[in-house]
C-alpha cells in the first residue's frame, strides 16, 4: 500500500500540469477548468490498474456479465456523458460500491449479500452513477481552494485502502500526508448526497425500476448497522440518517407504481455470490437444502444447491436438481451454463459440446457462454480454437485482464511463444506492472522472425516505456 500514495499523488500532479491539459475538452463549468473530463478519464484508468494489482477480485464471468448489463441499463437513462466504463468486482463480503472518476465502476461482493432484491441493488448503483454524472469528485476538488487533481487522487487512495482491506494500518500509512488529511475531510457533502439521491431516484424510474427500492435499502442498512462500532465503508462515505430516508421516501412515493422490484436472474446471481462466501461447498449445500426443504418450489434454492453440489463433486445429485430446473425452463441460460459446467466436470464432453452449440445459436454474443466454450475447448486440447474465441471476445473486452491472461495460456499450449509474451505484456500493463510488461515484450522481440513483426513489437514496447516513464516521473524519479 505504501507505494500507492506517491504514485497517485504525483500522477495527479502530472495530469494537472498546464502542458498536459492544453488540448483537453472542457464541459464549460467551473470544475472542468480545474479537472477536465479527459483528465478524470486518464486518472481513472491509471488508478484502476493500481487497484487491480492490490485487491482480490471476483472473476465469475456470469457475475461480471450481470453487473455490466445492469449498469449499462442504468447508464442509458442517466446523465452520464462519457460512457467508456470499466468495471472491477472486488472479492470482499463488506458492503461497498463506488463510481470513481473516469467511469470506473467498483462493486464488492458484499453488495449482493446486503441488497435482497434487484431493485435495491440497482438503487445503490443509480446513486453512485449520479455522483459520477454530477462530477462530485471534481466539484469537491474545486471546493478545496482549487488544489487540483492531487486531492482527487487522495480520494481514490482512500478507496484502495478500504477495498484492499487495509483497515487501520492502511489508513495509518497515509495519515501523515496532506492528502490523507484532505481525504478524511472530503466525504461527499450532504448537498451532494441529496443530489445523488434525487437524481438516482429519477434514473431508477426511467430505467424501469421502482424507486421505492432506494429508501427500502437505506432503511435496512440503518437497521443492520445501527449499533456497529465500525460500519462498512459504504456507510462511512454515504451516511444514512432518518432525515435522508424520509426525504428519499417522499420523493420515491411520487413515482407511479409498477416498476421492477426483483428478478429471478438477480436472485440466481446472488446465490452464486453467497456461495462464494461460504466456508465450504458442503456448508453451502446444507444451507440451500434447508431453504429447499422450507420451500420445495424455490428454483433459487434448488439452483444454489446444484451449484454447491458441483463444487463439492456431488455430481449425480447436482444432475438431478438441474434436470428439474431445465424441465421447467429449458432455455434459461443460467441453468444451461450450470449443466455445461456439470458435464465438463463429469467428463461428458460430447454432451457439453452439444449443449454449448445449441445455446450459442440462441445467445451468440453471451460472454459467460463463450467463456465456458473456451474452457471446453481447453479440456478437448484445442488451444488454437480456444484462442480464436478469446480473440473474438477482445472485440468487446479489450481491457479485460482475465481475457489476456487466458490468451497467454492458450498461446503457450499451442507453442506460440512470441504471442504468449505479447499477451502477457498486455495483461501486466492492465494490472499496472509495466516493468514485467516491457520485459515480456523484450522476450517477444528477441524471438521475432522478421523485421516487420519486430517493429510492431518495438512500437508497442515504446508505448509501454512511455507509460512507465510517466509513473516514474509521478513517483519523483
Amino acid at each position: 500500500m505504501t507505494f500507492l500514495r506517491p504514485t497517485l499523488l504525483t500522477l495527479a500532479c502530472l495530469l494537472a500540469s498546464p502542458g498536459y491539459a492544453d488540448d483537453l475538452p472542457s464541459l464549460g463549468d467551473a470544475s472542468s477548468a480545474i479537472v477536465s473530463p479527459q483528465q478524470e478519464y486518464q486518472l481513472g484508468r491509471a488508478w484502476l490498474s493500481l487497484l487491480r494489482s492490490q485487491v482480490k477480485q471476483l472473476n465469475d464471468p456470469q457475475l461480471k456479465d450481470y453487473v455490466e448489463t445492469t449498469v449499462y441499463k442504468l447508464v442509458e437513462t442517466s446523465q452520464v456523458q462519457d460512457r467508456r466504463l470499466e468495471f472491477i468486482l472486488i472479492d470482499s463480503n463488506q458492503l461497498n460500491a463506488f463510481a470513481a472518476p473516469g467511469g470506473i465502476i467498483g462493486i464488492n461482493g458484499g453488495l449482493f449479500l446486503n441488497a435482497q432484491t434487484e431493485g435495491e441493488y440497482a438503487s445503490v448503483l443509480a446513486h453512485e452513477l449520479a455522483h459520477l454524472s454530477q462530477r462530485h469528485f471534481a466539484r469537491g476538488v474545486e471546493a478545496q481552494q482549487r488544489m487540483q487533481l492531487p486531492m482527487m487522487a487522495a480520494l481514490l487512495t482512500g478507496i484502495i485502502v478500504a477495498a484492499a482491506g487495509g483497515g487501520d494500518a492502511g489508513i495509518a500509512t497515509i495519515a501523515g500526508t496532506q492528502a490523507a488529511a484532505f481525504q478524511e475531510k472530503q466525504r461527499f457533502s450532504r448537498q451532494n448526497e441529496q443530489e445523488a439521491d434525487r437524481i438516482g431516484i429519477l434514473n431508477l424510474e426511467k430505467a424501469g425500476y421502482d424507486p421505492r427500492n432506494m429508501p427500502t435499502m437505506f432503511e435496512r442498512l440503518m437497521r443492520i448497522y445501527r449499533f456497529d462500532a465500525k460500519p462498512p465503508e459504504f456507510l462511512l462515505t454515504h451516511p444514512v440518517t432518518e432525515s435522508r430516508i424520509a426525504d428519499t421516501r417522499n420523493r420515491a412515493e411520487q413515482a407511479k407504481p409498477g416498476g421492477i422490484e426483483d428478478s429471478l436472474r438477480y436472485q440466481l446471481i446472488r446465490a452464486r455470490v453467497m456461495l462464494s462466501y461460504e466456508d465450504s461447498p458442503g456448508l453451502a449445500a446444507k444451507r440451500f437444502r434447508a431453504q429447499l426443504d422450507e420451500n420445495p418450489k424455490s428454483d433459487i434454492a434448488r439452483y444454489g444447491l446444484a451449484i454447491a453440489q458441483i463444487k463439492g463433486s456431488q455430481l449425480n445429485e447436482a444432475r438431478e436438481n438441474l434436470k428439474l430446473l431445465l424441465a421447467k425452463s429449458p432455455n434459461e441460460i443460467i441453468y444451461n451454463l450450470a449443466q455445461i459446467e456439470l458435464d465438463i466436470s463429469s467428463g461428458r464432453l460430447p454432451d457439453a459440446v452439444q449443449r454449448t452449440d445449441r445455446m450459442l445459436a440462441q445467445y451468440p454474443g453471451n460472454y459467460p457462454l463463450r467463456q465456458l466454450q473456451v474452457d471446453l475447448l481447453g479440456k478437448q486440447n484445442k488451444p488454437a480454437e480456444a484462442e480464436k474465441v478469446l480473440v473474438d471476445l477482445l472485440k468487446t473486452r479489450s481491457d479485460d485482464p482475465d481475457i489476456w491472461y487466458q490468451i497467454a495460456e492458450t498461446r503457450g499450449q499451442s507453442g506460440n511463444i512470441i504471442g504468449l509474451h505479447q499477451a502477457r505484456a498486455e495483461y501486466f500493463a492492465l494490472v499496472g506492472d509495466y516493468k514485467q510488461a516491457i520485459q515480456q515484450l523484450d522476450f517477444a522481440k528477441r524471438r521475432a522472425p522478421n523485421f516487420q513483426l519486430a517493429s510492431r513489437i518495438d512500437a508497442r514496447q515504446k508505448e509501454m516505456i512511455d507509460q512507465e516513464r510517466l509513473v516514474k516521473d509521478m513517483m519523483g524519479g
Side-chain angles (χ1 to χ4, degrees), residues 329-341:
S329 304
N331 293 318
E332 169 55 55
I333 183 67
I334 291 182
Y335 299 157
N336 279 278
L337 289 169
Q339 185 65 51
I340 294 169
E341 182 182 351

Side-chain angles (χ1 to χ4, degrees), residues 79-298:
Q79 296 78 19
V80 175
Q81 296 183 3
D82 189 343
R83 298 181 178 181
R84 296 173 295 173
L85 305 182
E86 288 292 338
F87 298 83
I88 181 167
L89 305 182
I90 297 171
D91 186 2
S92 168
N93 61 5
Q94 294 297 306
L95 171 65
N96 202 15
F98 54 86
I104 310 303
I105 309 298
I107 294 176
N108 281 20
L111 175 59
F112 288 88
L113 304 182
N114 283 271
Q116 294 186 4
T117 66
E118 180 174 314
E120 293 180 2
Y121 154 87
S123 71
V124 172
L125 293 175
H127 176 95
E128 292 303 312
L129 288 171
H131 279 308
L132 194 64
S133 68
Q134 300 310 111
R135 305 193 65 220
H136 285 158
F137 284 91
R139 287 160 61 184
V141 172
E142 177 191 2
Q144 291 293 318
Q145 299 178 351
R146 304 176 70 81
M147 294 184 74
Q148 298 192 7
L149 278 166
M151 301 302 95
M152 186 185 297
L155 287 176
L156 298 181
T157 304
I159 293 175
I160 290 180
V161 171
D168 294 337
I171 293 173
T173 303
I174 60 173
T177 68
Q178 182 181 17
F182 173 85
Q183 194 266 335
E184 288 300 312
K185 296 176 183 178
Q186 187 59 22
R187 304 300 187 185
F188 284 125
S189 71
R190 181 178 301 177
Q191 179 180 355
N192 285 351
E193 284 297 289
Q194 290 176 340
E195 185 175 51
D197 287 344
R198 175 177 57 81
I199 293 173
I201 284 173
L202 292 173
N203 191 32
L204 277 175
E205 185 177 14
K206 287 194 292 183
Y209 292 98
D210 186 342
R212 294 165 184 82
N213 287 293
M214 184 178 287
T216 299
M217 179 69 172
F218 289 163
E219 285 167 350
R220 184 158 7 84
L221 292 180
M222 174 174 275
R223 288 195 303 270
I224 294 173
Y225 296 107
R226 182 190 296 270
F227 301 111
D228 276 26
K230 187 179 179 182
E233 182 69 17
F234 182 80
L235 294 183
L236 289 175
T237 54
H238 303 72
V240 176
T241 63
E242 295 283 0
S243 61
R244 182 181 179 189
I245 292 173
D247 182 58
T248 55
R249 176 68 67 187
N250 289 337
R251 292 182 183 277
E253 289 297 337
Q254 298 174 26
K256 295 179 181 179
I260 297 170
E261 292 187 15
D262 202 9
S263 71
L264 174 63
R265 184 149 299 180
Y266 175 77
Q267 293 299 336
L268 296 176
I269 293 296
R270 186 170 184 248
R272 295 181 68 86
V273 176
M274 295 174 74
L275 175 60
S276 69
Y277 290 108
E278 291 284 3
D279 291 334
S280 70
L283 288 174
K286 183 177 180 180
R287 180 170 62 79
F288 284 120
R289 189 177 290 109
Q291 294 177 13
L292 197 57
D293 290 342
E294 185 177 337
N295 180 8
K297 295 184 178 180
S298 173

